[in-house]
Amino acid sequence: MSKTQAIRHASRFLSSSLPRVTPAVYAVARPATYRSRNISSTPIRRDDKKHDAGSTSSAPGESGAHEGQFARTDESVRVEYPEEADLPRSQPVQGRGGSHHKRTLATFSLEDRVAVVTGGARGLGLVMSQAMVLSGADVAIVDLNKEEATRQAEQLMQSFRDENPGEENIPKVTAHYADVSSPDSVNSAISEILADHGKIDNLVTSAGFTENFNAIDYPHDRMQKLWGVNVDGTYLFAIGVAKHLTDRKSPGSIIFIGSMSGAIVNVPQPQAPYNAAKAAVRHLASSLAVEWAHAGIRVNCISPGYMLTSLTKKILDDNPELQRKWTSLIPVLALHYITLHEGR
């Protein structure tokens, strides 16, 4: 045997006698080796003036035709939420909402359910109440304006009768007063609803409002009122209905009406407290969904963008420049808004 062959045989013997390990274990067992790399540094070259001109800290258009014009709030925009008597009336959506000839899943039916809608006398709350009626639910409309809620409840039932002639099973729609920011008022409204309907299966918290003040000048009492309605009102009604559902040992569904403002900063109107309030509503939904999952209570949050309600239309009619900026930031719905606005 040559010297070379002897060395080869010895190497094979030694390698075969070593314990076999998986690559992962072997990789862990091996001592780590690090390679260092020199980091070259170059002097920072930044023209502060040019950089600032291209940001929202500069005057609009300072570094170009578009810079800073639509990514900032405008302190000159100020919209106060109108007093109750000045709020425009909302109308239910007109159209064939009765019998349908296209099939749908039976699980979407709300027959034999009782739904509560806060802020249900106007705007989104009203059309959500109408959708629930058309889906077979009995509905309790809760609003600060009991008279308006009563009028809308009667109109919803009449619309159902008109669109379903001969139908004997007419959904029951009732009106109830509540200041959603007050625990006593909320508990009183829930008790009244249970007396009228016997139970609650679903809740939609649509009561809410927004105002536009720059943060420094926002009156503190108005900010507290805003948080009271948007956040406290959502929380108070949710826990009231959840307690009823758990006492009944019944599953249910709760839907919070949030806003895109809970995830983004709207421009040009300044509305920091409202944005923060809707962010709170959004995360409150996630938190309660986890907390109440064991009881079969589903909690979800819907976050609409700009919606053309009667109030929104009035605000934009009074502020055409605000309307122009809003629609310029909605790439798909701008034409839809104009179509609605012009009545086409």
Side-chain angles (χ1 to χ4, degrees):
M1 180 183 295
S2 67
K3 183 177 180 180
T4 303
Q5 289 175 323
I7 294 173
R8 186 180 300 117
H9 283 301
S11 299
R12 288 175 181 171
F13 173 77
L14 290 172
S15 63
S16 63
S17 64
L18 291 173
R20 295 184 178 274
V21 294
T22 61
V25 174
Y26 183 63
V28 172
R30 291 183 61 188
T33 58
Y34 300 93
R35 294 181 179 180
S36 61
R37 185 178 64 181
N38 292 330
I39 300 177
S40 61
S41 60
T42 56
I44 296 175
R45 298 180 63 187
R46 191 184 81 180
D47 185 338
D48 287 336
K49 185 175 181 181
K50 183 176 181 181
H51 175 270
D52 291 343
S55 73
T56 56
S57 64
S58 66
E62 187 172 333
S63 67
H66 70 285
E67 297 289 353
Q69 292 193 41
F70 297 113
R72 63 176 69 234
T73 56
D74 183 352
E75 293 188 358
S76 68
V77 177
R78 178 169 293 188
V79 178
E80 294 186 28
Y81 194 71
E83 296 296 329
E84 185 68 33
D86 298 326
L87 283 169
R89 280 186 168 178
S90 298
Q91 296 295 329
V93 177
Q94 298 300 311
R96 187 170 181 76
S99 59
H100 298 275
H101 302 289
K102 292 186 178 180
R103 294 185 182 275
T104 186
L105 294 173
T107 50
F108 284 109
S109 172
L110 294 178
E111 292 181 7
D112 301 322
R113 304 285 182 87
V114 176
V116 176
V117 183
T118 68
R122 291 187 178 88
L124 297 183
L126 176 60
V127 294
M128 289 175 186
S129 299
Q130 182 183 26
M132 289 182 168
V133 168
L134 298 180
S135 297
D138 292 337
V139 176
I141 294 177
V142 177
D143 205 273
L144 191 64
N145 188 329
K146 173 74 177 292
E147 181 181 348
E148 184 68 10
T150 301
R151 190 181 76 87
Q152 295 292 6
E154 293 172 352
Q155 186 168 338
L156 287 178
M157 286 192 291
Q158 186 59 49
S159 295
F160 188 90
R161 293 188 189 95
D162 294 343
E163 294 177 349
N164 297 271
E167 177 64 49
E168 295 181 358
N169 187 19
I170 305 298
K172 181 179 181 180
V173 185
T174 58
H176 308 269
Y177 165 84
D179 174 359
V180 298
S181 65
S182 164
D184 291 339
S185 183
V186 169
N187 292 334
S188 176
I190 291 176
S191 296
E192 186 178 282
I193 293 167
L194 292 176
D196 284 352
H197 292 272
K199 65 171 184 172
I200 298 172
D201 299 294
N202 307 102
L203 169 67
V204 177
T205 61
S206 188
F209 72 95
T210 183
E211 293 185 306
N212 306 131
F213 286 88
N214 69 78
I216 293 175
D217 296 330
Y218 206 130
H220 187 254
D221 61 330
R222 297 191 71 90
M223 186 182 71
Q224 288 182 306
K225 180 180 178 181
L226 182 142
W227 273 74
V229 173
N230 289 285
V231 183
D232 295 353
T234 298
Y235 177 76
L236 292 172
F237 251 99
I239 61 173
V241 170
K243 183 179 185 305
H244 164 71
L245 290 170
T246 54
D247 288 345
R248 280 174 54 205
K249 294 182 172 54
S250 173
S253 176
I254 296 175
I255 299 174
F256 293 169
I257 305 304
S259 171
M260 64 174 179
S261 307
I264 57 98
V265 178
N266 303 85
V267 289
Q269 69 277 15
Q271 53 184 48
Y274 176 78
N275 296 346
K278 287 302 185 181
V281 168
R282 182 186 181 194
H283 199 58
L284 179 62
S286 300
S287 302
L288 295 180
V290 172
E291 186 169 332
W292 295 337
H294 71 91
I297 300 173
R298 293 179 291 109
V299 185
N300 290 281
C301 181
I302 299 174
S303 297
Y306 294 128
M307 307 294 286
L308 192 62
T309 64
S310 297
L311 178 57
T312 307
K313 182 178 182 300
K314 180 180 185 304
I315 291 172
L316 295 182
D317 286 345
D318 294 341
N319 298 271
E321 181 62 19
L322 184 62
Q323 174 196 326
R324 186 185 72 81
K325 289 185 177 180
W326 275 15
T327 53
S328 73
L329 295 170
I330 308 174
V332 175
L333 296 181
L335 180 59
H336 180 58
Y337 167 78
I338 293 170
T339 301
L340 288 173
H341 189 66
E342 295 181 354
R344 295 202 299 267

